[in-house]
Amino acid sequence: MTTLWLDASAGMAGDMMMGALVDAGAGLAALQTAVEAVVPGSVRLTAAPTVRGGMRAVKAEVEVLVDDPPHRTWTSIRAALREAALEPVTRRRALAVFEAIARAEGHVHGVGPERIHFHEVGALDSIADVVACCEGLRLLGVDRVVATPVAVGAGSVRAAHGLMPVPVPAVAQLAVGWPTTAGTVPAGHHGHPHDHGHPQGGRAHGEEHRLGDAGPEHGHGLHGRGDDGHGSDGPGGLPGELCTPTGMALVTVLAERPGPQPAMTTRAVGVGAGSRDTPGRPNVVRVLVGDEDARPLGRDEVCELAATVDDLDPRVWPEVLAALLDEGAFDAWAEPALMKKGRPAHVLHVLCAPGRADALSARVMALTSTFGVRRYLGVVRDVLARDWRTVTVDGHAVWIKIGHRDGAIVRAQPEFDDVRALAAGLNRPVVDVLAAARAAAEEAGLRPGERLG
């Protein structure tokens, strides 16, 4: 299993993570191709070496190429991601990150995520950052992400409506269930410690971020970036804004759990730079990519959530399960049950990392009509080591999910979302494309008992 450990102890932003992934070996041209598939001709990615606090790093930039980019909503961004020619794992990750941002912004403004409208340039920045980071993880072969607590900052930042507390509302909402710190400023330093601004796309929190065509403007944006930098407006040299909404979403959605670096053999290190060079503290995000020790059978402790629901419209259950999986649950399922007074019901089960239990419990209560969620800690699961390979069906790539033990394949199954999408594109029955994908996997040697090459 390839694990990426993300060090966000100095702060977090999408461009900083992108720079770290490029530094770790993700090809910039491949990242540009992925972004181009979503917003063609709109942005150019660049990356250059630099130094932050005496530490060598790579500074990634997103240059906006269009003078009048189209207005974007969460609905239009979701459609663009679904329709783009992205690898399935990149698309799934990017959709989950953007949905988390939209839900957080909707919660902050008291509306549904479908009504969230983003500033045009800010949306391009975030699309580029999110898609590039998700594609970078794929290029590096990352199976799971572990991340440190995130430094979010303290103090205040100027916005259209005046001073806004740090962390800004969207970051605070996205941080629910994830450990955070205020971060620090070196002694005697009272400047602006962090700036995630892009030369072309930077917008302060006060730029347009609207709810509906007739809705009020709001004083913070999707990214929370400003050309004049983020710093403390309060006393005592507070660190100011250290984390953007996009950065927080990338951590909480993509990372399996918070924690120190797992036991692994490191094979790549990447360091991504923020725009400001803070004396006495490197303004960077670091990633370590490595291989965890192979074990015949993986064993870890997880948390199981459960809730019994007897008054939910049954048509809603598929959306509930899909939303929980998008929120980071390992698995989610519902079982029929008979409740008191002979009422038919369903028992909802959610399997997740212990660090995600609080957030997912809150989501269960938001998505269903339950009045409470049971929590079973210390649940142990045994899992096969997992890997992915692609096969070709009628000239199109289909991902094969592989479970293996001691280097030998135990099972190999086509990724059903790929099969379903390809069947629709070819106007063929799903069962035929599924059979073709299985046959292609067999021909490629991806069968039980074979050694995983």
Side-chain angles (χ1 to χ4, degrees):
M1 177 181 291
T2 298
T3 295
L4 180 141
W5 180 66
L6 189 150
D7 178 5
S9 59
M12 180 64 189
D15 58 332
M16 296 173 77
M17 182 175 176
M18 189 201 314
L21 293 173
V22 170
D23 193 32
L28 186 65
L31 302 187
Q32 178 73 55
T33 298
V35 174
E36 194 74 11
V38 183
V39 283
S42 297
V43 300
R44 178 186 297 117
L45 307 183
T46 61
T50 188
V51 174
R52 294 290 182 264
M55 180 182 291
R56 183 207 59 81
V58 167
K59 181 68 181 78
E61 304 275 8
V62 178
E63 179 186 357
V64 176
L65 303 177
V66 289
D67 293 329
D68 186 23
H71 184 68
R72 285 185 170 86
T73 65
W74 158 227
T75 303
S76 64
I77 293 173
R78 179 174 56 197
L81 289 169
R82 286 176 173 172
E83 296 168 5
L86 296 170
E87 294 290 350
V89 65
T90 300
R91 179 184 293 108
R92 285 195 297 272
R93 285 168 168 165
L95 281 168
V97 171
F98 262 107
E99 181 170 3
I101 296 171
R103 289 187 181 279
E105 296 282 8
H107 179 87
V108 166
H109 299 305
V111 301
E114 305 297 335
R115 292 191 62 203
I116 292 295
H117 290 216
F118 298 118
H119 184 275
E120 290 85 344
V121 174
L124 281 177
D125 270 345
S126 273
I127 290 170
D129 284 349
V130 170
V131 172
C133 288
C134 292
E135 177 68 0
L137 293 178
R138 186 193 72 82
L139 292 170
L140 294 173
V142 173
D143 299 301
R144 73 166 183 149
V145 177
V146 177
T148 66
V150 179
V152 295
S156 58
V157 64
R158 293 199 175 276
H161 302 302
L163 291 180
M164 181 170 292
V166 173
V168 296
V171 170
Q173 184 62 31
L174 286 161
V176 171
W178 196 272
T180 59
T181 67
T184 59
V185 172
H189 178 67
H190 299 283
H192 298 298
H194 233 71
D195 176 15
H196 307 297
H198 292 244
Q200 300 296 325
R203 288 294 185 270
H205 285 286
E207 293 293 348
E208 289 181 88
H209 176 186
R210 303 184 298 274
L211 300 179
D213 294 334
E217 292 187 3
H218 292 274
H220 69 281
L222 182 65
H223 252 291
R225 291 176 170 170
D227 292 333
D228 57 350
H230 299 309
S232 170
D233 290 307
L238 295 175
E241 185 179 25
L242 303 184
C243 181
T244 67
T246 301
M248 196 74 231
L250 286 165
V251 171
T252 57
V253 173
L254 299 180
E256 175 182 300
R257 61 178 175 83
Q261 178 192 335
M264 65 185 194
T265 302
T266 302
R267 55 181 168 83
V269 176
V271 184
S275 294
R276 297 284 182 176
D277 188 8
T278 306
R281 185 201 64 202
N283 177 17
V284 299
V285 164
R286 295 189 302 152
V287 299
L288 274 64
V289 183
D291 301 313
E292 294 194 54
D293 295 336
R295 293 173 292 175
L297 196 65
R299 177 166 294 171
D300 57 9
E301 286 194 359
V302 296
C303 178
E304 183 174 344
L305 307 176
T308 307
V309 182
D310 67 348
D311 55 354
L312 187 68
D313 188 324
R315 294 171 295 183
V316 177
W317 278 112
E319 297 301 323
V320 170
L321 298 177
L324 292 170
L325 292 172
D326 287 343
E327 287 283 334
F330 296 143
D331 201 358
W333 68 98
E335 297 176 336
L338 195 64
M339 285 183 61
K340 60 180 182 284
K341 302 179 182 179
R343 292 191 299 232
H346 285 88
V347 181
L348 173 64
H349 298 269
V350 182
L351 208 62
C352 65
R356 297 292 295 160
D358 287 345
L360 284 164
S361 178
R363 292 293 291 141
V364 168
M365 284 191 271
L367 292 167
T368 73
S369 53
T370 188
F371 276 70
V373 177
R374 300 181 293 280
R375 185 176 304 193
Y376 304 99
L377 299 173
V379 177
V380 177
R381 65 170 184 166
D382 294 335
V383 295
L384 293 170
R386 300 177 190 184
D387 209 334
W388 295 84
R389 297 288 190 274
T390 57
V391 297
T392 301
V393 177
D394 286 354
H396 299 272
V398 174
W399 283 97
I400 305 295
K401 184 178 182 179
I402 302 164
H404 57 95
R405 179 189 296 132
D406 287 335
I409 296 174
V410 176
R411 60 181 52 89
Q413 292 289 341
E415 178 64 24
F416 190 75
D417 285 348
D418 289 8
V419 171
R420 180 171 52 190
L422 182 55
L426 297 176
N427 196 26
R428 291 176 54 185
V430 171
V431 65
D432 289 355
V433 177
L434 184 61
R438 285 173 173 159
E442 286 273 338
E443 187 177 345
L446 304 177
R447 63 175 73 92
E450 296 287 341
R451 302 297 297 178
L452 182 63

